[in-house]
Amino acid sequence: MNVMELLLQLPQQSLARILHHLDNGETERSKQRCIEKVIRRLTDINDRTASIKNLQRCERQLVIFVSMSATAEWALHELAGLVTKSEREHVHHALAVLEKEGWLFPLPMERWIMPDELKKIAGNFLKQSVSMEAVTVPAQKPDRHTLLTDLYTFIDEVKVKAYPLTQQKTIGKSQLGSLLKKLEYQEDIPNEKWRFGYGRHFNYYPDRFSLIYDLAHNEGWIQEEVRLVVTTKWEEAEEMSVSRLMQRFMLTYVKEYRRALPQLPVLIKILATVLGKDNLALEKETVVSLLYPFTDDYYYDDRSAVIKKRILPMLVHLGYLCEKTFGSETYYSLSSSDLHGNRFFSSLL
C-alpha cells in the first residue's frame, strides 16, 4: 500500500497529530491540505533520512526489519518478535514514536503497516550508510564445489565405515579427526570451554562440518542408530541439482542458527540489499558495523563475534558471499548466486 492510500484512510485527528509532530507544531483543519503537507514530508528523502538517523535502536530495528519483509501487516506480538531480545521491552514506546514520525501506520484490530515508498527509503538509507566505504569488484561465482564435494565425501565415508556412535550420538574423536582430514576444507575439532547453540552437535563438531552433518541428518540421508548409517533417501538426493542442494544447505543453516540468532534471515537480506546488483564489496569491519545494531550478544559471543564467526564465514561456505583479501584487508561481496531473490527470502522472514 502506498502513502496516499494510507493517509486517505486515516481520521483527521491522526493526520493532524502526524503533521503537528513533523512540522514543529503546524496545524491544519482541511484534511486535503493536511494530507498534502504530510505526504511531502513522508516522501522527502532528506527528511526521512534525518528521521531514521535520530531513531533509537529499537525504533530503527523495527523500521529496517519491517522494510525488509514481504509481510504486509503486523500485529503487536509480531513486531515484538522482530526486534532483538534486548530491545523487546521498548517496543510499545518505539511504536508510539514511529507512528508520530510517520514510519508505521495503525490499522484496525491493532495492526500496523509501512507504506511501500518508506520501505524503499529505509533500504536506500542502509545503502547510503556504507556507500563511502564500498568498492566495486568483478562479479564472482560462488565456490560451492568444496561444500558439495565434502558432503559426498562424508556420505561415502559413512557408507564404508558406519561409524559407531557415542552415548551422545556423536562420532568418536579419533575417527572424527581422521574424517575431517579427508575433507577439502580443513577444520579442527572444537576445543572451546563454552560453545553454544549452532547446530545439532554444536559442542563437538566444527561449524562447517556441523552444517554438512545437520543437512544430511535433517533430510534423512543419515540416521543415528548404534552406528551412523546412510539411508535409502540419499539415492534421491544424488539426483538433485546443484542449485537445489545449495538451497537445502541455506535453509538448514538458517533453521539451525536462527535458534541462537532469530534475526538471521533479515541480516542476510540486509547484506543482499546493501551489496545489491552493482558488484559492491565492503571491508569486514564495515560489514560488522552495518549489522551490529541489529544483533545481540549470544552467551560468550559478543555481537562482533556473532557476525565475524557465525554469519560471514558460513555465508562464504554456502556460496552466498565471496571473500577477497586486498593487502591486509578482507572484503565481502555478493556472489552471483540464485539464493539472493526476494522470493527465496520471503519464505524465511
Side-chain angles (χ1 to χ4, degrees):
M1 189 176 290
N2 62 39
V3 174
M4 179 61 78
E5 290 173 314
L6 279 169
L7 295 181
L8 287 172
Q9 293 180 19
L10 287 181
Q12 175 66 16
Q13 185 178 7
S14 297
L15 282 169
R17 187 163 56 245
I18 295 173
L19 179 63
H20 185 270
H21 176 76
L22 294 179
D23 250 352
N24 298 317
E26 176 78 8
T27 59
E28 180 58 68
R29 292 184 179 181
S30 166
K31 184 172 184 178
Q32 180 179 342
R33 286 196 293 272
C34 191
I35 289 175
E36 290 171 354
K37 290 181 178 181
V38 169
I39 202 168
R40 278 199 299 269
R41 297 296 301 268
L42 295 186
T43 56
D44 181 273
I45 302 297
N46 292 330
D47 183 279
R48 293 291 87 193
T49 299
S51 171
I52 201 170
K53 283 182 177 179
N54 289 327
L55 296 178
Q56 297 299 309
R57 184 168 177 241
C58 182
E59 297 153 15
R60 189 178 296 189
Q61 283 188 7
L62 282 172
V63 168
I64 297 301
F65 291 166
V66 169
S67 73
M68 293 287 143
S69 175
T71 301
E73 300 175 7
W74 298 85
L76 177 60
H77 73 277
E78 293 171 327
L79 292 170
L82 272 183
V83 302
T84 55
K85 186 177 180 180
S86 62
E87 293 297 325
R88 284 179 191 157
E89 64 182 291
H90 305 303
V91 167
H92 280 91
H93 175 74
L95 276 174
V97 171
L98 295 177
E99 284 185 27
K100 288 192 298 183
E101 285 287 322
W103 284 104
L104 288 175
F105 289 80
L107 297 174
M109 306 297 292
E110 291 193 321
R111 302 184 73 82
W112 285 264
I113 190 170
M114 180 181 289
D116 296 334
E117 296 96 325
L118 298 189
K119 289 184 178 182
K120 292 179 181 177
I121 289 173
N124 287 331
F125 169 80
L126 286 177
K127 294 178 186 178
Q128 291 300 315
S129 69
V130 295
S131 61
M132 297 299 292
E133 288 79 23
V135 298
T136 303
V137 297
Q140 299 182 68
K141 292 184 178 180
D143 179 13
R144 301 163 163 174
H145 299 295
T146 57
L147 192 64
L148 294 179
T149 298
D150 286 346
L151 168 65
Y152 291 125
T153 299
F154 168 58
I155 295 293
D156 288 343
E157 289 295 305
V158 175
K159 281 182 180 178
V160 172
K161 297 182 178 175
Y163 296 107
L165 298 178
T166 67
Q167 289 185 340
Q168 290 75 35
K169 295 297 182 180
T170 58
I171 301 169
K173 184 170 288 189
S174 62
Q175 290 181 309
L176 176 62
S178 298
L179 170 60
L180 293 175
K181 289 178 182 177
K182 295 183 178 181
L183 303 183
E184 289 196 28
Y185 184 87
Q186 295 296 297
E187 290 181 291
D188 296 322
I189 298 173
N191 60 5
E192 294 112 316
K193 184 177 180 181
W194 302 109
R195 184 172 166 84
F196 295 97
Y198 305 95
R200 180 173 175 79
H201 296 301
F202 58 85
N203 60 329
Y204 191 71
Y205 293 158
D207 293 339
R208 185 176 178 277
F209 174 74
S210 185
L211 179 63
I212 293 172
Y213 188 97
D214 289 343
L215 174 67
H217 183 271
N218 292 350
E219 296 290 334
W221 302 336
I222 58 174
Q223 193 168 319
E224 296 172 347
E225 299 175 356
V226 176
R227 290 176 174 269
L228 190 64
V229 297
V230 178
T231 72
T232 56
K233 289 185 177 181
W234 173 246
E235 296 172 6
E236 300 174 14
E238 290 183 290
E239 302 300 320
M240 285 186 185
S241 65
V242 169
S243 174
R244 189 176 176 196
L245 272 173
M246 293 311 300
Q247 283 200 353
R248 298 278 186 170
F249 261 119
M250 178 64 88
L251 289 168
T252 298
Y253 165 64
V254 171
K255 177 183 176 183
E256 295 297 335
Y257 276 57
R258 77 183 303 177
R259 295 174 186 176
L261 313 174
Q263 286 73 36
L264 181 58
V266 193
L267 300 178
I268 298 172
K269 195 165 183 182
I270 286 174
L271 290 174
T273 299
V274 170
L275 296 174
K277 301 176 182 178
D278 302 319
N279 298 330
L280 297 179
L282 293 173
E283 194 270 327
K284 179 188 284 188
E285 292 303 324
T286 302
V287 177
V288 173
S289 297
L290 173 69
L291 300 182
Y292 193 85
F294 309 109
T295 58
D296 267 349
D297 299 345
Y298 189 72
Y299 288 91
Y300 289 92
D301 284 344
D302 62 21
R303 285 193 266 172
S304 293
V306 166
I307 298 165
K308 291 179 179 178
K309 293 165 59 178
R310 312 304 181 184
I311 298 177
L312 296 180
M314 298 306 294
L315 292 178
V316 171
H317 292 318
L318 287 160
Y320 189 88
L321 293 179
C322 291
E323 183 182 78
K324 195 77 173 176
T325 300
F326 299 102
S328 61
E329 305 294 344
T330 300
Y331 283 79
Y332 293 94
S333 62
L334 213 60
S335 71
S336 55
S337 170
D338 55 0
L339 295 174
H340 299 138
N342 288 334
R343 183 178 299 177
F344 178 78
F345 278 102
S346 294
S347 66
L348 303 180
L349 295 178

